[in-house]
Amino acid sequence: MSSLDALKQYTVVVADTGNFKQLAKYTPRDATTNPSLILKAVQHPDYAHLLHETVEAHRGEPMDLVVDQVLVRFGVEILKVVPGRVSTEVDARLSFDTAATIARAQRIMELYDAAGVARDRVLIKIASTWEGIQAARALEHEGIHCNLTLLFSFCQAVACGEAGVTLISPFVGRIYDWYKKQAGASWDEQAMAGVNDPGVRSVTRIYEYYKHFGIETEVMGASFRNVGQILALAGCDLLTISPELLEQLQSMDEPVVRRLDPAAARAASVKAVSYNEASFRYALNEDAMATEKLAEGIRLFAADAGRLEALIQAA
């Protein structure tokens, strides 16, 4: 048994890619996309026709609508390969506008509806800002399921759980990146690997909190830098993994030990916390890593959304 197959005994494996032709090889249940992954995919010869066909079919329509049509086209193709769900992201430039995020999410879902895709097969990805979390709360009430992304802090996770969102994507690798950069020459890779990795610790804490208090929001670790981070989170509800790391796991035959367990989490000593807008913003502000990585993540996704628009304009 490969390490990938062994991991699947404890955790739902999700492919983190817009390259749907790679998916079947790793048999993930779900797939996630983001503006950066779609931008990369549409520039690949295998997928360029999807961009051109979609642009041609919707020429003259507002740019933001054409972008959503492209995202949904990729989502529909991905759902032909995976048996579960696909995540499609709302424009990151709306991350601080609750009403606009709700409207954009509703439209994306309407496009999936028009394509004949069942709503339970789609997750709308939204940045885990206060405004994004409140948008997700409203969307979940109307049966639109959400994946709260760019999640770096405990307060973001707690607020998402309180909002009743379907799934969160805490970013392991970007947390690791920040702490490694801060430590500089004093960083000890071996000492900070596996369960000691700061990104792994963050996800472990969130998982334990959710399971201890019976919060139904699913935890999907994301943004991995190495297979060690993935294996240290074996047992997490879901893990979304790049094709490169899926390939590594498939070529390995090391046994996989379950690290996160709901029974152990329920037995742990965990204190309940709650956040309103003011306390959420203060807690996030107190976490320099989360504040910086959330802002950086929104900027990066927004920049790639702009590049995708430029490609559409040139098509």
Side-chain angles (χ1 to χ4, degrees):
M1 182 185 290
S2 73
S3 295
L4 179 59
D5 288 332
L7 177 65
K8 288 177 182 177
Q9 296 178 106
Y10 310 119
T11 291
V12 172
V13 170
V14 180
D16 197 17
T17 181
N19 186 343
F20 54 83
K21 293 188 179 182
Q22 284 185 304
L23 293 178
K25 182 178 180 183
Y26 308 110
T27 60
R29 192 194 75 181
D30 297 351
T32 55
T33 65
N34 62 44
S36 307
L37 294 173
I38 296 296
L39 178 67
K40 185 178 176 183
V42 297
Q43 295 176 82
H44 193 283
D46 286 350
Y47 305 107
H49 71 281
L50 293 177
L51 176 74
H52 293 291
E53 287 170 12
T54 307
V55 171
E56 196 56 45
H58 300 281
R59 201 171 290 284
E61 294 179 7
M63 176 59 75
D64 59 340
L65 178 55
V66 180
V67 168
D68 286 349
Q69 294 280 8
V70 171
L71 299 181
V72 170
R73 178 70 187 275
F74 268 83
V76 169
E77 294 298 326
I78 286 168
L79 288 172
K80 293 176 183 176
V81 185
V82 300
R85 304 172 294 190
V86 68
S87 292
T88 297
E89 194 147 344
V90 168
D91 192 325
R93 291 167 291 190
L94 304 178
S95 295
F96 302 102
D97 188 331
T98 298
T101 296
I102 291 170
R104 195 71 173 262
Q106 288 169 333
R107 187 173 73 189
I108 290 170
M109 191 57 77
E110 285 166 6
L111 295 176
Y112 275 112
D113 288 341
V117 174
R119 290 195 167 201
D120 62 1
R121 298 199 70 198
V122 179
L123 293 172
I124 301 295
K125 275 180 97 171
I126 299 169
S128 302
T129 57
W130 178 259
E131 294 81 2
I133 295 167
Q134 302 320 304
R137 183 194 298 272
L139 290 163
E140 292 281 357
H141 276 298
E142 59 183 81
I144 296 175
H145 302 303
C146 300
N147 169 355
L148 273 287
T149 187
L150 294 174
L151 194 146
F152 302 97
S153 70
F154 185 66
C155 68
Q156 288 173 295
V158 171
C160 287
E162 290 183 319
V165 307
T166 297
L167 181 146
I168 60 168
S169 296
F171 276 33
V172 176
R174 296 194 196 188
I175 294 174
Y176 160 88
D177 292 344
W178 190 88
Y179 282 101
K180 184 175 181 178
K181 184 178 178 182
Q182 288 293 115
S186 65
W187 179 262
D188 184 335
E189 188 68 41
Q190 191 171 356
M192 301 302 286
V195 295
N196 295 322
D197 184 295
V200 170
R201 289 205 308 268
S202 177
V203 175
T204 301
R205 183 187 181 194
I206 292 164
Y207 176 91
E208 287 183 347
Y209 186 87
Y210 277 12
K211 301 310 175 196
H212 184 84
F213 290 107
I215 295 167
E216 292 184 3
T217 300
E218 300 167 56
V219 181
M220 180 171 73
S223 162
F224 293 105
R225 299 292 177 257
N226 54 66
V227 294
Q229 292 172 335
I230 295 166
L231 296 178
L233 289 171
C236 194
D237 298 328
L238 308 95
L239 297 173
T240 182
I241 306 170
S242 69
E244 294 77 17
L245 293 175
L246 287 171
E247 181 65 37
Q248 283 189 44
L249 287 165
Q250 196 169 68
S251 65
M252 292 164 51
D253 59 5
E254 293 176 24
V256 175
V257 177
R258 181 166 198 157
R259 299 292 183 182
L260 302 188
D261 182 80
R266 285 191 291 271
S269 176
V270 181
K271 183 181 176 183
V273 294
S274 182
Y275 295 96
N276 59 23
E277 182 177 356
S279 60
F280 173 89
R281 292 191 186 282
Y282 188 77
L284 189 61
N285 185 74
E286 285 294 282
D287 188 333
M289 176 277 297
T291 299
E292 291 174 25
K293 298 309 285 186
L294 174 60
E296 177 191 68
I298 291 170
R299 285 195 301 269
L300 290 172
F301 283 163
D304 281 340
R307 291 187 187 101
L308 180 56
E309 288 179 351
L311 280 179
I312 288 170
Q313 224 154 12

